[in-house]
Amino acid sequence: MLRALSVLLFFSIFVLAAPAGAQNIFEVNSTADDPDNNPGNGVCRTAAGICTLRAAIEEANATPNAGGPDVIRFTSIPLSGGAAVIQLASGALPAITQTIVIDGLTAAGEVFLDGSNLPSPGTVTTASGLILDTGSGGSSIRGLTVGNFPFYGFYVKSHNNVLTSNRSGVREDGTAVGNGVVGIYLNSGYNTVGKIGLGNVVGFNGNAGIHVINGEYNLIRGNYVGTDDTGADFGNGTASSHQSYGGIVVRSNYNTIGGSEPGMGNTIGHGTANGLIIDDEHNLVRGNYIGTDAAGRNLGNASKGILLEGNNNIIGGGEPGQSNVIGFNTIGIYIWGGDNKIQGNYIGTDAAGADLGNIDDGIFLSEATATDNTIGQGKNAVIPYLTSKANTIAFNANGIGFNESGTSGAPVENTIRGNNIHDNDGLGIDLNLDGISANDVDDVDLDANATMNYPDVSRAFYRPGNNSLVVEYSVSSSDLYVPYPLTIDVYLADDATSGEGRVHIGTDTYTTPGQQVGFEIDAASVSWDASDYVVLTATDTLGNTSEFSPAAGNLGGPGFSFAVRHDDAVAPVGAFAPFTMTAPYPNPFNPRTTFALALPEATPARVSVFDITGRQVALLNDGILAGGVAHTFTLDAAGLASGVYLLRVQAGAFVETRRLALLK
């Protein structure tokens, strides 16, 4: 099926893209391996008067490309059992040194280049299949099957080449003909490996299916690595299950694995070690299926779906089509590097909510090198309801796990905000692989993410007066040990038992250690149910995010609230001085916005405005306000820069925070 589609698409492309003017076209009409009789005369002919692939390459190398790249076709090659098997008998093919088009799709059946007679282990040049050497940049290789080579199936040393609709290590009938080391090896940049509907099938290779090294800006798209469109097991890593190998291995910068448009993503599965390894910087991984496919089949890789060893990479991205689906692996994403962004992915599930759970953690952060990563939204980001940057992490052993401190230290300053985490067997976030890390007084402990204390929630309820959801909480972390202010994220929990944050519904800023405050969320702005529970996380200014707090609720209906249990004790509810507050208008505003505040009785009230970093920029009231009357306040932000600000009203023990957007 893949070959039939590729033939149709590439025939159209070949006809439309053929360059004008004179051009050498060599018709391979034999499966023999004889050399050309007179390289450079423009005629592919052996001593026996036939045209072999070896002779065609020799002639192309010796012929200038004045009228465009030379073309090697297979229209007249004889088939046996539906395939033309070219078994190399005279050593490796000559490396290609001119721009060339080799079009195996012109044959009536499979064109299989067989390297089983080459010396093993040999060398890269004596034991590899097709080698695109210096001078061959801009070549196109399509529709070939390459296998049984002791080293590489395809070895690309020049730039701007296109490899599509090929098979490396596996025949069209699924027969294993794996190459000893790598199926497709890129030691250059700006190449395209696979396109929409024209992907390569790469399987049964010794160490890796596709390996990128010392080459930037390569596009790897639409390929089947370790499988095909039926989900068959063609797993790479057949010679070794070493953790440095995988279906696709990227050890260079600025490459793109997959893409945002339908069909650009690679399907990577059945690896004896990892699905995808990223071991350098500024690479994009988008739209791929890793350990599964679009049909939700189990193609799990034996170790990690993604082994992220490098820094400053983006996995996903949060825009349409950028989500990776990662399931059925031992660990979904294993993070060793720092400053990476993991956003908008489905880990252990897919967009339909299927159970594709990874055996262990959905995401695991290991060692001190895994620092300053962002999982979901960043530490200073404003999170919209149902944010597209949320990772959905479900049906794994733990949602997100952290390695405890070891000889090389623990991962810290990793921000986890705005994700949809639910239905994992263990914790949604487990900082030290020890279950719930109990809060300690002042938060002086260290280890993973500084073992940041989670908020202590005293109660959560529905407030009818403002049609709002109210959460009262405090944080025991001392500002002597934890950098303030803290960002508090509120989630609806998946249930009362596991207490994972299945959807983000609001964010508060916490400024005073140990103080009990209340946070109010517009109930009309989120989808919720009276039986829902809430959980909270705290993130300090360095980006250390806590585990989820124990679940609090039910939220109930109008007027319904109660204290919840925490650490086997009933947390004190504290005084509650309800008040009503109008929405600031206008909002967004420039430069003034106005709101009114009414209290049932005279109460000390502080009305202040903070920027997104927690710095106070305005104080509108700090004293007793009379009860039973409306107090009007106007914020004049003429001296402030455009951006998001937090309006904070504290009356007694109750605090309400509203977001303001200043647009100049």
Side-chain angles (χ1 to χ4, degrees):
M1 183 170 67
L2 285 173
R3 180 175 178 81
L5 177 61
S6 298
V7 169
L8 177 61
L9 291 173
F10 253 129
F11 179 74
S12 299
I13 292 172
F14 177 75
V15 171
L16 293 174
Q23 182 181 40
N24 291 313
I25 299 178
F26 304 117
E27 288 281 1
V28 176
N29 56 22
S30 172
T31 59
D33 189 35
D34 300 335
D36 191 70
N37 191 46
N38 186 16
N41 66 355
V43 179
C44 175
R45 181 179 295 125
T46 70
I50 58 176
C51 180
T52 65
L53 177 59
R54 180 180 297 277
I57 292 174
E58 290 174 340
E59 194 62 47
N61 282 343
T63 306
N65 287 330
D70 293 338
V71 177
I72 298 176
R73 303 193 306 198
F74 301 86
T75 306
S76 303
I77 196 168
L79 305 180
S80 176
V85 179
I86 303 174
Q87 190 163 40
L88 299 185
S90 304
L93 291 171
I96 298 167
T97 58
Q98 296 281 335
T99 303
I100 197 171
V101 175
I102 301 180
D103 192 356
L105 297 175
T106 55
E110 180 181 25
V111 178
F112 171 37
L113 183 59
D114 185 359
S116 58
N117 285 338
L118 295 185
S120 182
T123 66
V124 172
T125 55
T126 64
S128 294
L130 284 179
I131 301 176
L132 290 173
D133 210 339
T134 303
S136 65
S139 293
S140 178
I141 311 295
R142 54 205 186 214
L144 297 181
T145 297
V146 178
N148 291 328
F149 287 90
F151 247 87
Y152 308 139
F154 295 92
Y155 181 29
V156 182
K157 299 173 65 178
S158 59
H159 302 303
N160 296 302
N161 301 288
V162 179
L163 278 68
T164 49
S165 301
N166 300 290
R167 303 176 77 90
S168 186
V170 57
R171 299 279 305 269
E172 287 188 2
D173 63 2
T175 300
V177 288
N179 301 287
V181 183
V182 176
I184 300 175
Y185 189 87
L186 303 182
N187 192 11
S188 56
Y190 298 91
N191 299 290
T192 297
V193 179
K195 293 183 178 180
I196 297 173
L198 303 171
N200 303 281
V201 178
V202 187
F204 297 122
N205 298 286
N207 292 344
I210 301 173
H211 193 159
V212 184
I213 188 167
N214 296 329
E216 299 180 342
Y217 300 103
N218 293 289
L219 301 178
I220 301 177
R221 291 175 163 168
N223 302 288
Y224 289 90
V225 182
T227 188
D228 63 6
D229 59 343
T230 71
D233 185 351
F234 303 151
N236 294 285
T238 53
S240 174
S241 60
H242 192 279
Q243 293 303 298
S244 64
Y245 302 130
I248 299 178
V249 180
V250 179
R251 302 193 188 281
S252 60
N253 304 321
Y254 298 104
N255 298 281
T256 298
I257 314 301
S260 303
E261 297 180 22
M264 283 186 175
N266 303 280
T267 301
I268 309 169
H270 296 304
T272 61
N274 307 293
L276 171 64
I277 297 176
I278 302 293
D279 189 23
D280 222 314
E281 299 188 352
H282 303 294
N283 296 286
L284 299 178
V285 179
R286 291 174 167 167
N288 303 285
Y289 290 90
I290 303 174
T292 187
D293 61 8
R297 287 178 283 223
N298 185 345
L299 317 180
N301 298 285
S303 188
K304 293 92 175 175
I306 299 178
L307 174 55
L308 188 53
E309 297 178 314
N311 306 319
N312 295 296
N313 299 286
I314 297 176
I315 311 297
E319 298 299 327
Q322 294 180 348
S323 302
N324 300 284
V325 179
I326 305 167
F328 297 119
N329 309 284
T330 299
I331 294 175
I333 303 176
Y334 188 102
I335 303 176
W336 196 289
D339 295 288
N340 298 289
K341 291 182 172 60
I342 318 295
Q343 298 175 321
N345 303 286
Y346 293 94
I347 303 170
T349 187
D350 59 13
D355 183 350
L356 315 177
N358 297 284
I359 297 171
D360 290 333
D361 298 313
I363 298 176
F364 183 79
L365 296 98
S366 176
E367 313 302 330
T369 52
T371 298
D372 203 24
N373 295 286
T374 297
I375 301 174
Q377 294 272 11
K379 59 187 176 184
N380 295 321
V382 177
I383 304 179
Y385 179 56
L386 300 180
T387 170
S388 62
K389 291 188 177 180
N391 299 286
T392 300
I393 307 172
F395 306 115
N396 310 286
N398 288 311
I400 301 173
F402 283 70
N403 191 18
E404 60 187 334
S405 181
T407 57
S408 57
V412 295
E413 300 177 12
N414 294 286
T415 302
I416 307 168
R417 300 187 59 221
N419 301 286
N420 306 325
I421 305 178
H422 63 88
D423 290 297
N424 297 286
D425 294 335
L427 300 183
I429 303 172
D430 190 347
L431 289 184
N432 295 306
L433 295 183
D434 57 358
I436 295 175
S437 300
N439 285 341
D440 60 315
V441 176
D442 291 336
D443 203 3
V444 298
D445 54 358
L446 297 174
D447 290 337
N449 259 16
T451 319
M452 179 72 193
N453 280 358
Y454 49 75
D456 293 307
V457 184
S458 58
R459 64 175 181 173
F461 59 93
Y462 172 75
R463 182 181 179 196
N466 281 3
N467 187 32
S468 60
L469 306 177
V470 179
V471 181
E472 291 185 344
Y473 70 92
S474 63
V475 182
S476 58
S477 302
S478 168
D479 55 7
L480 295 176
Y481 305 104
V482 175
Y484 271 68
L486 307 182
T487 299
I488 308 299
D489 288 302
V490 183
Y491 302 80
L492 296 178
D494 57 350
D495 58 48
T497 303
S498 63
E500 300 176 84
R502 64 178 170 84
V503 62
H504 184 275
I505 60 171
T507 301
D508 194 21
T509 299
Y510 188 78
T511 59
T512 306
Q515 182 180 45
Q516 181 170 292
V517 299
F519 176 56
E520 193 163 354
I521 301 166
D522 182 3
S525 67
V526 299
S527 177
W528 63 287
D529 187 83
S531 62
D532 275 329
Y533 294 78
V534 299
V535 290
L536 280 63
T537 61
T539 302
D540 66 22
T541 58
L542 296 177
N544 293 295
T545 297
S546 71
E547 296 175 352
F548 289 112
S549 68
N554 303 64
L555 290 174
F560 181 83
S561 65
F562 62 93
V564 298
R565 294 185 66 81
H566 173 63
D567 290 343
D568 298 324
V570 177
V573 173
F576 173 52
F579 59 81
T580 58
M581 175 181 173
T582 63
Y585 182 83
N587 189 21
F589 70 102
N590 180 24
R592 297 177 182 84
T593 186
T594 300
F595 62 95
L597 176 66
L599 296 93
E601 59 186 30
T603 307
R606 183 179 178 88
V607 182
S608 49
V609 180
F610 297 85
D611 64 18
I612 198 63
T613 68
R615 180 176 62 92
Q616 181 176 296
V617 297
L619 180 62
L620 304 182
N621 186 80
D622 190 15
I624 295 175
L625 291 178
V629 297
H631 301 273
T632 300
F633 296 92
T634 297
L635 171 64
D636 187 337
L640 299 178
S642 295
V644 174
Y645 293 87
L646 302 173
L647 169 63
R648 190 176 184 84
V649 178
Q650 180 178 353
F654 190 78
V655 176
E656 181 172 339
T657 303
R658 299 286 182 96
R659 290 186 178 271
L660 305 173
L662 174 59
L663 300 179
K664 291 188 173 181

